[in-house]
Amino acid sequence: MKRIRLFGMRSDREEILRVLQRAGCVEIDEPSDLEGAAWQGLSRPDDRALNEAREASAAALAALGILKKYAPAKGGLLKARPVISERELFDEEAYRAALDTAHKLVEAEQHITGLNAEMSKVKSQKMALAPWLGLDLPLETASTREVTIRLGTVPGKVVMEELLSALKGVTDLVQLTEISADQNAHYLFFACHKAAEEAADQVLKDYGFSLASLKGWTGTARENDRKLDETLAELERELEAAKAGIADQKGAREALERCADRAAQEVRREEAKSRLRDTETAFFLEGWAPAESLDVLRQKLEPFGCAFQAEDPTEEDYPSVPVKLKNNALTRPLNMVTEMYSLPAYNGIDPNPLMAPFFILFYGIMMADMGYGLLMMLASVFVLKKARPKGGMHNFFALLGLCGISTFVMGALTGGFFGDFIPQLLKVINPESQFVWFWKPLFTPLDNTLQILVGSMVLGFVQINAGMLISFVKKLKEGQYMDALWEEATWWVVFVGAGLAILGVTPLVLALGGILVVAGPVVTNKGFGKITGIFGSLYNHVTGYFGDILSYSRLMALMLAGSVIAQVFNTLGAIPGNVVIFVIISMAGNALNFALNLLGCYVHDLRLQCLEYFGKFYQDGGKPFRPLEINTKFVDIQE
């Protein structure tokens, strides 16, 4: 990475930002070291354009959500995105027209929301009137000078005979009529002469009487209910018309998707612009660009007459320098693994080329089935060709294909094709049949379990030593010669010596290794630490290496588990002796086994890389490189 600084004319600012976005190789950062009188005249650009771009993006995305709700698009998840030119994406007339459509759809959705709210209100009013539909009196009927009239309720647990009896016990000048009742309340019409009102009120109070809230209604409850039905029907017609109006705009979906992608580019550019510094006539930009992009960048900026500077970052800058991994077709899919863990520090090592052979090989060892590998390869090719995914999804399916090749090869070496599907199928068809592969499997999980276990740990030993070698070379380049000697070199001597001693060649090399193990803490530590350091070094390294190597036994364990599960389901399917039943049971079981292993092998493979392997040399903590670029969600740009 190179730190770049650029001064340009403010009149060229917008066009320069567009050029940088098309180039896609510059991450614009907040300027550093803007202290001193010379920088006092600089200010941030106006953010009005950024707010407008965000509003446009929100409107376009909201409009697409509205169309998805009222006029769902046909097509599956693997539908490829349309390919358009950059000129079509940035067509201003089409962009403005699509924005107008988006605003209309948002307004239509707001209208629908209002209609739904009004319908809810009308339905609530109908529910409030429902208990009074049996009342023939107008709801606005009021008390007279001689008679008090009320509409109200008492709790549903009240026994009406008791209430009527209580009222009759205090006065005969009262009438209480039950209009309707439900489990919660009794709905009552109450009429009483003024002379008996006080006594009757006390009885009603004792029984929990409360006035009904029916103010504002005129006419009977049934008349008002009919009017509400008419209003509700009109609202429903208006609602359906509004929904149909939105559905009629389904042809604008592609234009809205382009609009959303265009707005997203505007937002990114305006966000980058907010990190610039302006004067009345010029602007200042600071950021990062890959070293290999500088020539192209200078060429694109040449017409603007900018003052351009590029320099290497200092060691103090390393924590903030963005990291961009350099990949080829084999290592690029491993980006998803590295990014899931953590990018390497700027002064660290790109782990992808060092990890790719091990990751792909180990996955194939654990899955080890031709049928599963074939499915993985077909799924990878199908999705990559049909859907043309980008970014992390592309890396996922590309890695799936590479691991599928490894799985197929290891399956061929072990003779597995959906477990023992073919031999079992032939026995169901003809119990006397004997199936033999055109080649002899190198080993099988059930017959050569011990050999596979030993081989797994040998592979682990190889990978751990590869990590040690990487660390050794890194330390030598950084001038850490003593660390390289007492850590990696010492234990290589021990490993070689142990091997020679086991083979009966000579114990001298192992003795030399032991001397170096003891000498390391004595030379590097002080005081009593020389003694404790010896025991600490022996314990940590011996148990550490032993535990790390033992972790690779999972290669054998998953290979064995997958093979056994597949064979169990094939055996269960063969018991009835019917081909159709066999195929159904076998395929169902293998589908489950495949799904479990697909995830399980990935997790265990990831653990071996991130803990056992990366622990020997990897320095993480890198900041991802996020350049100002054209990055679309709904369409692909034709290159």
Side-chain angles (χ1 to χ4, degrees), residues 66 196 201 284 358 383 406 444 607:
I66 292 167
D201 281 348
F284 173 68
F358 291 110
V383 174
S406 176
T444 59
R607 184 192 186 281

Short mmCIF file of all heavy atoms in Angstrom, two decimals, residues 66 196 201 284 358 383 406 444 607:
data_model
loop_
_atom_site.label_atom_id
_atom_site.label_comp_id
_atom_site.label_asym_id
_atom_site.label_seq_id
_atom_site.Cartn_x
_atom_site.Cartn_y
_atom_site.Cartn_z
N ILE A 66 -41.72 -2.40 -1.47
CA ILE A 66 -43.17 -2.29 -1.70
C ILE A 66 -43.59 -3.20 -2.86
O ILE A 66 -44.60 -3.92 -2.78
CB ILE A 66 -43.54 -0.83 -1.97
CG1 ILE A 66 -43.34 0.01 -0.70
CG2 ILE A 66 -44.98 -0.71 -2.46
CD1 ILE A 66 -43.38 1.49 -0.93
N ALA A 196 -86.23 9.29 42.05
CA ALA A 196 -85.59 8.07 42.53
C ALA A 196 -84.15 7.91 42.04
O ALA A 196 -83.52 6.87 42.25
CB ALA A 196 -86.42 6.86 42.10
N ASP A 201 -78.99 5.24 41.68
CA ASP A 201 -77.55 5.39 41.40
C ASP A 201 -76.70 4.63 42.41
O ASP A 201 -75.67 4.04 42.06
CB ASP A 201 -77.15 6.86 41.39
CG ASP A 201 -77.53 7.55 40.08
OD1 ASP A 201 -77.87 6.81 39.13
OD2 ASP A 201 -77.45 8.79 40.00
N PHE A 284 -8.25 18.94 -0.77
CA PHE A 284 -7.16 18.06 -0.38
C PHE A 284 -7.72 16.68 -0.09
O PHE A 284 -8.73 16.53 0.59
CB PHE A 284 -6.45 18.60 0.87
CG PHE A 284 -5.42 17.68 1.44
CD1 PHE A 284 -4.24 17.43 0.75
CD2 PHE A 284 -5.62 17.05 2.66
CE1 PHE A 284 -3.27 16.57 1.27
CE2 PHE A 284 -4.66 16.20 3.19
CZ PHE A 284 -3.48 15.97 2.49
N PHE A 358 -3.37 -27.17 2.23
CA PHE A 358 -3.75 -27.93 3.42
C PHE A 358 -5.26 -27.94 3.61
O PHE A 358 -5.85 -29.00 3.89
CB PHE A 358 -3.08 -27.34 4.66
CG PHE A 358 -1.59 -27.54 4.71
CD1 PHE A 358 -0.73 -26.48 4.55
CD2 PHE A 358 -1.06 -28.81 4.91
CE1 PHE A 358 0.65 -26.67 4.60
CE2 PHE A 358 0.31 -29.01 4.97
CZ PHE A 358 1.17 -27.93 4.80
N VAL A 383 -24.02 -23.00 -9.73
CA VAL A 383 -24.28 -21.68 -9.13
C VAL A 383 -23.38 -20.61 -9.74
O VAL A 383 -23.83 -19.50 -10.06
CB VAL A 383 -24.07 -21.75 -7.60
CG1 VAL A 383 -24.19 -20.35 -6.99
CG2 VAL A 383 -25.11 -22.67 -6.98
N SER A 406 -11.16 -32.33 -4.22
CA SER A 406 -10.38 -33.07 -3.23
C SER A 406 -11.20 -34.22 -2.65
O SER A 406 -10.68 -35.34 -2.46
CB SER A 406 -9.94 -32.12 -2.12
OG SER A 406 -9.26 -32.80 -1.10
N THR A 444 -9.31 -48.27 2.95
CA THR A 444 -10.71 -48.04 3.29
C THR A 444 -10.80 -47.65 4.77
O THR A 444 -10.03 -48.17 5.60
CB THR A 444 -11.56 -49.30 3.04
OG1 THR A 444 -11.05 -50.37 3.83
CG2 THR A 444 -11.52 -49.69 1.57
N ARG A 607 -10.75 -25.08 12.20
CA ARG A 607 -10.07 -25.12 13.50
C ARG A 607 -8.61 -25.50 13.34
O ARG A 607 -7.73 -24.90 13.98
CB ARG A 607 -10.77 -26.13 14.41
CG ARG A 607 -10.19 -26.15 15.82
CD ARG A 607 -10.68 -27.33 16.63
NE ARG A 607 -10.22 -27.23 18.01
CZ ARG A 607 -9.00 -27.54 18.42
NH1 ARG A 607 -8.10 -27.94 17.54
NH2 ARG A 607 -8.66 -27.43 19.69
#
